[in-house]
Amino acid sequence: MIDPRFVFLGAALSMVGTLSYALLTFRGAVKPNRLSWFLWAAASLTGFGAQLDDGVGLPAVLTFSMGAGPAVVFLASFANRSSYWRLSFADLLCGAASVVALAIWLAWDDPQTAVIFAVLGDLAAAIPTFRKAWSAPGTENPLVFGLVAVNGIITLLTITVWEPAVWAFPVYATSLGVGLCLIIVVRQRITRSAAALPDAS
C-alpha cells in the first residue's frame, strides 16, 4: 500500500483530464453526451455524500473528483451550441435507469448499499458515452478517461479497509476509465485506417 495522501495526486490528475476535456468542449473539438456527464456528476457526488456518511475517509476524494470534473464539462457544453452530442431514445432510457438508482440511494438508509447503487447509477449514465465512443470515436478524447483510470488505481493502492463503500468507486473508476480509453483509441485508429484506404470505386 502507498501513503493515503496519494489520493490527492490521483484526484488532481483526474481534474486535469476533465478540465482539458472541458476546454476541448468549449472549442467544439469534442462533443460530450450531456446526459452522461450530468448524471456522472450527480451519481458521483451522491456516492461522495454516502461515503462521508460512512466515514470512508481519503478514498472519498476520488469520488468527489469524479463528480466535480463532469459538472465542469457539463457546464462547458452550453458554451458552444455545436459542442454536445444529441440524445437518442436509448440514451434517455439509460438516463432513466441512472435516476432510478439515485432515487434508491435517497430512500435507502444504508451507506454501504447507497454507494453500490450510486455506482450502478453512474454505470447506467456511462452507457450512452460508451455507445458514442464506439460509433463516433472522433468526437471523444481518450486522455480524460485514461486519467480517471489512473485516479482509480492510485486510490486502490491506498486502501486499507476493504469494504464496499471504500473500494466500489475506485474499482468502478478504473474499469470505466480503461474501458472508454481503449475503445476510443482503438476505434479512432480503425477509423483513420479506413479513411486512408484507396477508394475501390
Side-chain angles (χ1 to χ4, degrees):
M1 296 298 142
I2 62 177
D3 191 309
R5 290 172 293 186
F6 271 92
V7 296
F8 293 108
L9 172 62
L13 291 173
S14 185
M15 289 301 296
V16 166
T18 49
L19 290 176
S20 66
Y21 191 97
L23 181 60
L24 291 173
T25 299
F26 180 79
R27 293 175 176 173
V30 297
K31 295 186 176 183
N33 183 301
R34 277 181 180 166
L35 184 64
S36 282
W37 289 90
F38 171 76
L39 291 173
W40 275 338
S44 295
L45 292 176
T46 296
F48 173 67
Q51 288 179 322
L52 289 183
D53 286 345
D54 201 41
V56 164
L58 287 178
V61 172
L62 170 140
T63 313
F64 175 76
S65 68
M66 288 184 64
V72 173
V73 172
F74 175 73
L75 293 175
S77 71
F78 290 93
N80 185 336
R81 291 184 178 182
S82 64
S83 68
Y84 69 93
W85 191 255
R86 297 190 181 280
L87 301 178
S88 68
F89 180 69
D91 294 340
L92 295 176
L93 287 179
C94 294
S98 179
V99 170
V100 168
L102 294 179
I104 292 173
W105 173 80
L106 293 174
W108 210 300
D109 189 22
D110 176 9
Q112 297 283 345
T113 306
V115 170
I116 298 301
F117 275 101
V119 168
L120 292 175
D122 203 284
L123 178 59
I127 293 174
T129 293
F130 271 102
R131 293 176 63 247
K132 184 170 78 70
W134 182 270
S135 62
T139 66
E140 286 293 348
N141 185 289
L143 175 64
V144 59
F145 301 110
L147 290 177
V148 166
V150 172
N151 190 4
I153 291 169
I154 289 174
T155 302
L156 284 172
L157 291 174
T158 69
I159 291 176
T160 56
V161 178
W162 290 91
E163 295 178 353
V166 179
W167 58 256
F169 257 97
V171 168
Y172 167 69
T174 303
S175 303
L176 175 75
V178 170
L180 279 170
C181 185
L182 285 176
I183 288 174
I184 294 167
V185 169
V186 171
R187 291 292 294 169
Q188 284 181 348
R189 287 182 179 178
I190 291 174
T191 301
R192 285 195 296 267
S193 296
L197 291 174
D199 191 346
S201 61

